Amino acid sequence: MTEQLPISIMPSNDLIETFNQIKSVCNKLEAQFNFQTLTANWYGDENNILLINLYLETQQFVDEEITKAHQGEISYFADDVFSVYQKERQQITCFIAVTPTELTLLQQERKLLPSYIQAKLQKVLNLIADKLTLFPI
């Protein structure tokens, strides 16, 4: 049985259909970010590990998700990023939109996809770190 890593990155089916390499890019980044957060001591208490689920979505999906009722503390990091922190479960669910402008750029310049996703997700993780007073990665 495989244990869940503290950080999971899940691209939407729409993005997977648009960018055939996005799943492998996300898998690589998932391993990288889990290692970086481990070395930054985000998981000091092994019995109380923070789980972070990062959902890469379309802007329309994120806009719809914002209107729903969520259990937990909601943080709006930008128009295209928000998270729900469930402190009692030690879990953060974060919705990150690939905006229409970004989508167009990435479709025209597909080689930018890995570095774009890495930069965007790392920025979000550092915003979470700042909010929870953890070391940035």
Side-chain angles (χ1 to χ4, degrees), residues 46-60:
E46 290 185 24
N47 296 320
N48 202 16
I49 292 180
L50 175 67
L51 298 177
I52 302 173
N53 296 311
L54 303 173
Y55 291 93
L56 269 175
E57 298 286 348
T58 62
Q59 184 70 56
Q60 180 182 354

Side-chain angles (χ1 to χ4, degrees), residues 13 19 31 42 72:
N13 288 335
F19 304 104
W42 283 28

